[in-house]
Amino acid sequence: MVAPNALVGKVNEILVQAIGEPLRYLVNWGRLYSLWPVHVETACCSIEFGATHGPRFDPERFGLLEAFGSLRQCDLLIVFGTVTRKFAPRLKMIYDQMPEPKWVIAMGACAITGGLYFDSYNVLPGIDDLMPVDVYIPGCPPRPESVLQALIMLQEKIRKSKLR
Amino acid sequence: MTSVARSLPFPTEVIVGDKLSISIGPQHPGSGHFRIIVVLEGDIVSEAIPDPGYVHRGAEKMCEFRNFVQNVPMLERTTLPDANGIIFPYILAVEELMGIQAPPRAQYLRIISAELNRIVSHLYWLGIYGVFLGHSTMFLWPMGDRELFMDLIQTVGGTRVTPSYIIPGGARNDLPDNFKDKALKAFGYFERRLKEYDRIFFSNPLVLKRSQGVGVLKRSEAIALGITGPNLRGSGLKSDTRKDEPYSMYETLDFDIPSYPDGDCWARGMVRFHELYWSMQIIKQAVEKMPSGPFRSRLPLLTARAPAGEAVARTEAARGCMSYYVVSDGTSKPYRVRVSVPSFRNMIGIPYLLKGGHLADVPAIYWSLDYWPVEADK
Ligand code: SF4
């Protein structure tokens, strides 16, 4: 005869095993195709992001929605290029205000290493010190196609991620 | 009130008496990477303080560590939508310093690339302006048609936005054979589209309501503040460096300078709208008039030295008069490069234009100036 408590534990385990995986899949599937990006432009890469949102490339067919609305409803932060010393605290503030789960894409050489401005006195050498980055898009500026590829890579990552 | 707003590191919402100070930007979709501290009395803006500098990358200082040719791609990135237009005066100044003369064919090639960039830049502006007036169609149409001109820039310069096409001594490469056919086809289509743009946006009663009489800049004020480019022409002054001090081969081309006397958001938009048309006419004429011959006098060496001296050049970029002052001390790197950008001078108008207007008009006025923060901050 097993104790009732242990029985509850067993049932819980069975339940988790039975519905945990489908639940994880379902929740991730829901997040995957409705990514709301924060509208924060940091530098010149934003013009290619604007072009990405045009009709020729149309990221909405992959599930990247338009960059409008409050950042407390957003789950994707795309950093478009150079982050200067004046903007860095702002960017951190923006990241901290976003609710979990959240993902970060670093777009452009500037956001990765400082790029062309690696020796400038006012530019951060990449945003890794500020926040964890999920996908890096190299290029100066990256073509819209590579933005779309980064989006697909990020979706792969979300699909495989654990439930939090 | 001003002192309260200035003393805070991140002034968000501050209430003093019956005034409320709010910060628009640098994250708000209405302002790009730029902040305007707006002091409100009810719905009326009683004071607006621009706070630039979020994209200051030290381009002027960095020019001193790179040689004359390496500076071309670096300075180009101050205004990516208008890359060829922004680098044009720098090249003219460096050529003057080095004593190089670009061959006539190169002069026309430069005009073609600069005007293509003007179209692309104005279309980008139109898309953003449209969406901030609440007109989503006007985001999608210009962005879609812009890709046609992007393709043309790609055929000329090789990349979408950073061609570095204009270099000291001429242009980087010649036009491909199919450029003329491709360009004429695109222009034919786009000239038909311009009529539709006019019907759906510039003559749209709702857009007229939101832009006519909003943010009025009188002609005398515009001159006193030193506003430049389409914003100045929108205030009724026919001033354009292409006509006033023709450079390259602009004097051989026949074009008009659109200008509107009203000085409001609508007039500034109409000036750019007509410039789209005239830029296409300029390119058509340049392709016809272009003589055959070399497109570059000689390949500039990376270590090319310039004799000691100084040079100034100015041209008309998409946002207004753009000038460079280059000083050389006889080495292969410039001693000092002073970049004078049109966006910064247009920013001076922001506090005057916003004052006394409604809060809801802030995005309309802001975007009608075509302010590009990366350019102003350098
Ligand atoms: S990577 Fe290039 S295009 Fe992007 S922000 Fe940096 S300099 Fe500008």
Side-chain angles (χ1 to χ4, degrees):
Chain A
M1 189 68 196
V2 269
N5 276 356
L7 194 66
V8 169
K10 262 269 180 328
V11 170
N12 198 7
E13 215 167 80
I14 292 166
L15 264 181
V16 164
Q17 271 183 2
I19 65 163
E21 182 57 25
L23 192 68
R24 184 191 70 87
Y25 183 83
L26 189 71
V27 171
N28 281 345
W29 175 82
R31 286 172 178 167
L32 194 56
Y33 297 115
S34 61
L35 291 168
W36 291 91
V38 179
H39 192 110
V40 48
E41 296 170 342
T42 55
C44 31
C45 272
S46 55
I47 126 155
E48 281 301 62
F49 190 68
T52 312
H53 271 272
R56 182 180 285 188
F57 299 102
D58 188 16
E60 275 195 36
R61 64 200 156 123
F62 295 108
L64 180 68
L65 298 165
E66 59 177 338
F68 277 102
S70 161
L71 55 91
R72 292 195 176 78
Q73 301 158 359
C74 293
D75 47 10
L76 176 61
L77 177 61
I78 305 183
V79 181
F80 310 132
T82 329
V83 179
T84 58
R85 293 195 193 287
K86 185 167 181 180
F87 196 72
R90 273 283 175 174
L91 194 65
K92 184 88 180 94
M93 237 168 95
I94 290 167
Y95 180 75
D96 290 343
Q97 283 181 51
M98 285 164 61
E100 289 278 354
K102 51 191 169 190
W103 298 277
V104 180
I105 293 182
M107 178 175 176
C110 283
I112 302 175
T113 60
L116 204 61
Y117 298 90
F118 68 96
D119 56 351
S120 167
Y121 54 84
N122 201 28
V123 173
L124 291 197
I127 56 163
D128 302 83
D129 291 343
L130 288 179
M131 58 190 66
V133 179
D134 291 286
V135 183
Y136 296 93
I137 318 177
C140 183
R143 291 179 64 95
E145 291 92 331
S146 38
V147 179
L148 295 181
Q149 195 203 352
L151 182 65
I152 293 168
M153 280 168 71
L154 180 69
Q155 286 175 334
E156 269 316 302
K157 186 169 178 173
I158 299 173
R159 198 195 302 276
K160 292 197 190 113
S161 65
K162 284 207 185 75
L163 259 196
R164 268 178 289 157
Chain B
M1 189 61 228
T2 314
S3 56
V4 174
R6 287 225 166 115
S7 63
L8 290 163
F10 295 141
T12 41
E13 295 191 356
V14 187
I15 302 174
V16 175
D18 54 353
K19 288 187 177 177
L20 168 72
S21 150
I22 55 170
S23 162
I24 299 188
Q27 189 265 323
H28 186 267
S31 74
H33 16 314
F34 175 67
R35 183 164 65 132
I36 317 171
I37 302 162
V38 179
V39 183
L40 290 171
E41 268 187 276
D43 186 28
I44 306 291
V45 178
S46 72
E47 193 180 357
I49 309 161
D51 175 21
Y54 285 96
V55 218
H56 175 67
R57 304 187 284 202
E60 284 183 2
K61 187 68 191 166
M62 283 169 52
C63 282
E64 295 162 19
F65 302 110
R66 288 158 170 74
N67 53 42
F68 287 101
V69 181
Q70 282 175 327
N71 277 337
V72 174
M74 204 265 290
L75 288 171
E76 192 181 62
R77 275 160 178 79
T78 50
T79 317
L80 272 192
D82 185 24
N84 285 321
I86 222 74
I87 206 65
F88 207 149
Y90 173 75
I91 302 294
L92 293 182
V94 169
E95 280 181 348
E96 195 188 318
L97 268 180
M98 292 188 173
I100 316 173
Q101 180 73 40
R105 188 177 174 84
Q107 313 254 9
Y108 282 107
L109 288 177
R110 289 174 177 185
I111 290 183
I112 292 172
S113 62
E115 293 299 324
L116 275 178
N117 253 132
R118 190 186 308 277
I119 297 176
V120 164
S121 170
H122 283 355
L123 281 177
Y124 188 78
W125 160 80
L126 187 54
I128 308 283
Y129 182 52
V131 85
F132 281 107
L133 284 184
H135 199 300
S136 316
T137 312
M138 220 47 205
F139 174 76
L140 294 172
W141 282 15
M143 283 295 172
D145 292 340
R146 184 171 167 269
E147 293 297 328
L148 286 178
F149 295 97
M150 282 306 208
D151 286 349
L152 288 181
I153 292 182
Q154 260 185 90
T155 34
V156 177
T159 56
R160 282 170 59 88
V161 283
T162 50
S164 298
Y165 182 65
I166 310 179
I167 51 170
R172 223 186 41 207
N173 50 276
D174 209 342
L175 284 186
D177 296 335
N178 63 351
F179 176 77
K180 196 175 160 189
D181 300 336
K182 248 184 131 171
L184 289 184
K185 210 171 147 198
F187 294 169
Y189 164 78
F190 193 61
E191 274 170 27
R192 287 199 304 279
R193 282 290 274 185
L194 283 181
K195 295 200 188 80
E196 294 180 31
Y197 278 28
D198 186 34
R199 253 204 356 254
I200 200 170
F201 190 72
F202 288 102
S203 313
N204 184 334
L206 285 176
V207 174
L208 290 182
K209 269 238 153 63
R210 284 218 56 189
S211 58
Q212 266 181 339
V214 172
V216 179
L217 188 65
K218 286 203 244 22
R219 185 188 147 116
S220 55
E221 284 173 353
I223 298 171
L225 291 172
I227 305 291
T228 139
N231 301 332
L232 181 60
R233 298 195 277 281
S235 293
L237 197 76
K238 272 201 181 218
S239 151
D240 189 315
T241 321
R242 288 175 293 173
K243 280 272 193 219
D244 301 345
E245 311 163 10
Y247 49 92
S248 256
M249 289 287 184
Y250 272 110
E251 64 273 16
T252 64
L253 303 172
D254 175 32
F255 61 99
D256 194 16
I257 311 254
S259 144
Y260 277 77
D262 318 61
D264 52 10
C265 293
W266 181 79
R268 290 192 279 273
M270 280 312 266
V271 168
R272 294 197 179 87
F273 179 60
H274 283 278
E275 274 182 12
L276 290 175
Y277 173 77
W278 282 110
S279 289
M280 286 192 290
Q281 304 310 315
I282 292 174
I283 298 171
K284 275 189 205 163
Q285 291 173 36
V287 172
E288 288 302 327
K289 287 218 172 118
M290 200 161 52
S292 53
F295 56 89
R296 169 168 78 202
S297 56
R298 64 185 156 91
L299 201 61
L301 293 174
L302 268 183
T303 52
R305 283 165 193 272
E310 54 183 43
V312 184
R314 66 175 182 170
T315 64
E316 185 78 15
R319 287 172 178 75
C321 178
M322 173 87 203
S323 56
Y324 283 88
Y325 170 58
V326 186
V327 184
S328 166
D329 56 355
T331 58
S332 60
K333 291 171 185 165
Y335 176 72
R336 172 88 170 95
V337 177
R338 173 81 179 94
V339 191
S340 168
V341 283
S343 274
F344 192 80
R345 277 183 275 153
N346 289 336
M347 185 187 72
I348 295 170
I350 289 180
Y352 295 88
L353 286 176
L354 294 186
K355 201 170 172 184
H358 291 276
L359 179 62
D361 287 337
V362 171
I365 296 173
Y366 175 81
W367 283 104
S368 76
L369 289 172
D370 196 5
Y371 177 71
W372 183 250
V374 191
E375 180 182 276
D377 297 347
K378 289 173 279 194

